[in-house]
Structure formats: C-alpha cells, structure tokens
Amino acid sequence: MDPTSTIFSFLSVLLFGSTTNFNRVFPSESCRFPAIFNFGASNSDTSGYAAAFIQLKSPNGDTLFGMPAGRFCDGRLIVDFTTESLDLPFLSSYQNSLAINFSHGSNFATASSTIRLLTANVVPYGHASPFYLPLQYLQFAQFKNRSQIIKRHGGIYASLLSREDTFSKALYTFDIGQNDLTQSLFFNMTIVQILPAIPNIVNHFSNIIKNLYNFGARSFWVYNTRPLGYFPKILTSFPLAEKDFIICAKPYNLLAQHFNAELKNALARLRIEFPLATIVYVDLYSTLYSLYTHPTKNGKYNYSEEAICGGNISVNGKSITVGSCKDPSVRVSWDGVHFTEAANKFAFDLVSTRDFSDPPIPLKLACHPR
C-alpha cells in the first residue's frame, strides 16, 4: 500500500464524527475572560523566542509595529486578534523580563516548540525549541504559584500579576503540533514513519489539558494544525511530492489531516471526561485551505531557502538584507512557513465564529460547557 493510501485508511477509521449535540441552545451572554494563557510555537509566539535566544530582524513586525516585535510575521498573529476581540492587551511572553504586565495573562509559546521533546534536534544544535509543551506547562504552574506569593506580599509588582480567581476564569489557547510533524520531516523521516507516532504525540497533548484542568482551568480553545502541503517551504523541499488540483503537496496535507483527526477525537474524549469544562476543537486547517488557490502566481512560491526573510544574502559581492514582499496585505505566506497579518486576520475572523468549531461555539461563548 502506498503512503497516500495508508493515510486515507487511517483517516477513514479516525473520523467517526463528533460527540457534540449541535441542536443545543447557546446562551446569549458573552464570556468576560479576564486573561488568556497561550501555549504554542511560532504561530502564536509574541516574543518568547526573541527573549530566550535571538532577536528577530526587520521586516518582521514592520506592517503594524514598525519594527520587529518578536513575531514571525509582518504584523499581528491570530493570538493578537484574539486578545483584541476580547478587549485585552497583547500577551507578553513569559520569557520576557523587561517592563512586563502579566495581569491579563501570559504567553508561553516559543518558536520551534513541539508537543514532545525532540532531543536530537534541539537549539542550539538543531531547530527544535527546548520549550516543548510539558515545559511550557511547568512554566505556567510556576507562574501561577509564584505570582500568588507575590500578590499576597503586596508591593509594586503585585498589580502586574494575575489574581487568584483569574486562572479559573481565563481562556486557555493552544496552537502547537505543526513542528512535531515538520521537524520530523526535515529530520529525514518519511510520512509513513511519522504516522505511528501521532497517537503518542496527541496523548502527550491530552495529558497537558488534564493537568491544566486539575490546576483549575476550564475554558480551552485548541487549534488544529495547518495545511502543510501548501507551505512554500514544503513545496520547495519536496518538489517530487504528488500534487493536488491546485499544485500543492497532497501527502503532506494528508499528514496534517491525520494529526487533526487524532486531535479532534482526543478532545471529544476529554469533553466526556471533564463535562464541566469547555473544550473546543478549532478547525484552522479548513479556514486557511481556502486561501491557497494560486500558490505559484507570484514567482515560485515567493520563498527561497537561500533568502530567508530578514536574513542576509550576497549579491555581486555585496551583503543585502532580504526585505518584505511588496505588499504583504495581499499575500498568504510571510516567510515560507508562517503567515502574513492579512492571512491571520482572515483566519481569525472565520474561526472566532461557531462555523469552524467542535462543539460549534463562538470564541466569545467559550466559557459555557457543552
């Protein structure tokens, strides 16, 4: 059986449907989340990597901030649009120690993070971040405990930290798992080799949800992974991969679908185990899928390994910094892996409704159990 057929057979078994009752009536009152605690990788990193390792360079951040702002993007990420929609300030990274206010939550996401630790490929000797999801959880646990000690003692820092009741009322968001797949691919593993590991990866993720629930968390907003086969970096790195009808790498999209099916089913099981929690599976894959219609319209994917965004290349003996594409507002891909602010805004506007969620709950009602 070829790899594509194998993936299809896995999906047919996994996609048994949702346990959700779609006919339930929604409460009309919006949630008043006092804070957001985010866990993830570069797609939701708001300066964790920059604080822990190395500052990003322009043109990252240029569209909105006018300078690098710790985001692998020209502007805002989905997590930024999330905070704005809930009338909260942008999240500060837990890694950042300068002039930080954590009263409205914290961001534990760090670029290149995975759910499981890839010990053979960790920064600085590889590309994976040491801040994998279980470590992010431990950072959160330490943050919660130590912040309450500081709150009890008072002083000038007490007002900069979350109140004790904030943790049970907060929204917990997750955007992680993509690197568990892509890091393995770039570590010369085949799709067939990666598939058996996905249940274990998702099981590690489920354990973090359980741990956070036991810590008092009740509202979980979980993004699935993006359509990998449309990433310019994937298309460039694996040019011989079978293409779909819009000339994108079909096996890598199927790999993402397989991960998403496992994740969706795992969250359905967690909803049964924790009926007092709101655990929402958010189909980011489908929202971004609709953006990929002409991947080769503007040059070959608008991406090159030799000319990474913000990096330097040599042209005729001169060092030149690689800048932004002419108009990021009409682009999907920012740097071959990450998305432009425009694409992030497009995706957020869709996923914040109930149309791409299981259970079908809009973001502002994600504090109500289903």
Side-chain angles (χ1 to χ4, degrees):
M1 181 179 292
D2 62 71
T4 301
S5 299
T6 302
I7 300 172
F8 271 127
S9 65
F10 272 118
L11 289 173
S12 65
V13 173
L14 286 166
L15 290 172
F16 58 73
S18 170
T19 59
T20 302
N21 181 353
F22 290 159
N23 295 320
R24 294 185 181 181
V25 177
F26 287 89
S28 58
E29 184 177 354
S30 294
C31 304
R32 296 182 180 273
F33 294 113
I36 295 175
F37 295 101
N38 182 70
F39 303 81
S42 55
N43 287 310
S44 62
D45 181 358
T46 56
S47 71
Y49 189 92
F53 299 113
I54 186 170
Q55 288 287 332
L56 303 183
K57 297 179 180 179
S58 179
N60 289 293
D62 284 0
T63 292
L64 179 69
F65 304 100
M67 59 182 290
R71 292 155 173 81
F72 289 81
C73 180
D74 61 305
R76 287 164 291 183
L77 308 175
I78 290 176
V79 68
D80 294 317
F81 290 113
T82 302
T83 58
E84 287 182 334
S85 74
L86 298 177
D87 297 321
L88 294 171
F90 289 154
L91 290 183
S92 298
S93 170
Y94 178 77
Q95 310 294 342
N96 202 338
S97 60
L98 300 175
I100 297 302
N101 186 337
F102 289 123
S103 62
H104 54 270
S106 183
N107 191 356
F108 299 90
T110 304
S112 298
S113 291
T114 52
I115 295 174
R116 296 192 310 174
L117 182 62
L118 302 178
T119 55
N121 194 33
V122 174
V123 172
Y125 306 107
H127 299 290
S129 168
F131 298 105
Y132 70 126
L133 185 58
L135 182 54
Q136 292 181 25
Y137 163 74
L138 291 176
Q139 290 177 326
F140 166 81
Q142 182 177 182
F143 170 80
K144 181 182 179 184
N145 291 333
R146 295 183 66 186
S147 65
Q148 296 317 294
I149 293 173
I150 295 172
K151 294 285 284 187
R152 286 194 293 271
H153 282 79
I156 61 174
Y157 298 110
S159 63
L160 301 177
L161 297 168
S162 302
R163 294 161 47 97
E164 185 173 4
D165 62 351
T166 293
F167 294 93
S168 61
K169 297 177 181 178
L171 178 67
Y172 291 75
T173 57
F174 302 82
D175 191 349
I176 195 167
Q178 175 179 308
N179 290 329
D180 290 84
L181 306 179
T182 57
Q183 293 282 0
S184 297
L185 289 170
F186 296 122
F187 208 54
N188 295 322
M189 291 182 65
T190 67
I191 290 177
V192 172
Q193 289 173 321
I194 297 171
L195 282 172
I198 289 178
N200 184 257
I201 294 170
V202 172
N203 184 60
H204 275 69
F205 181 87
S206 295
N207 287 337
I208 297 300
I209 298 290
K210 294 177 183 180
N211 290 342
L212 287 169
Y213 182 89
N214 292 332
F215 239 117
R218 291 297 181 267
S219 299
F220 302 90
W221 188 259
V222 183
Y223 291 109
N224 66 7
T225 201
R226 294 156 174 77
L228 305 180
Y230 296 152
F231 286 13
K233 183 175 177 65
I234 292 289
L235 289 163
T236 302
S237 300
F238 306 101
L240 299 181
E242 178 188 356
K243 302 300 190 295
D244 63 14
F245 70 100
I246 56 172
I247 322 177
C248 287
K250 183 177 179 180
Y252 300 95
N253 276 348
L254 292 174
L255 176 63
Q257 290 173 26
H258 178 69
F259 174 87
N260 291 342
E262 286 276 2
L263 177 63
K264 183 176 183 179
N265 291 335
L267 296 182
R269 291 190 291 270
L270 287 171
R271 284 195 291 273
I272 295 172
E273 185 174 354
F274 302 114
L276 297 181
T278 303
I279 304 174
V280 184
Y281 169 88
V282 188
D283 189 7
L284 191 58
Y285 180 104
S286 293
T287 64
L288 291 169
Y289 184 95
S290 61
L291 281 175
Y292 288 93
T293 54
H294 300 289
T296 62
K297 182 177 180 180
N298 299 290
K300 188 172 182 179
Y301 314 131
N302 190 39
Y303 170 78
S304 170
E305 284 281 5
E306 288 74 35
I308 298 174
C309 185
N312 294 323
I313 58 173
S314 179
V315 178
N316 296 327
K318 296 182 179 181
S319 180
I320 298 177
T321 299
V322 179
S324 170
C325 53
K326 185 176 181 180
D327 187 1
S329 68
V330 296
R331 300 285 186 141
V332 176
S333 178
W334 171 242
D335 58 9
V337 177
H338 306 103
F339 292 81
T340 60
E341 178 182 86
N344 289 328
K345 179 65 164 61
F346 174 88
F348 173 77
D349 286 345
L350 292 178
V351 298
S352 59
T353 69
R354 58 180 287 179
D355 297 336
F356 292 87
S357 302
D358 179 36
I361 302 174
L363 174 65
K364 292 187 177 182
L365 297 181
C367 60
H368 301 289
R370 291 295 183 276

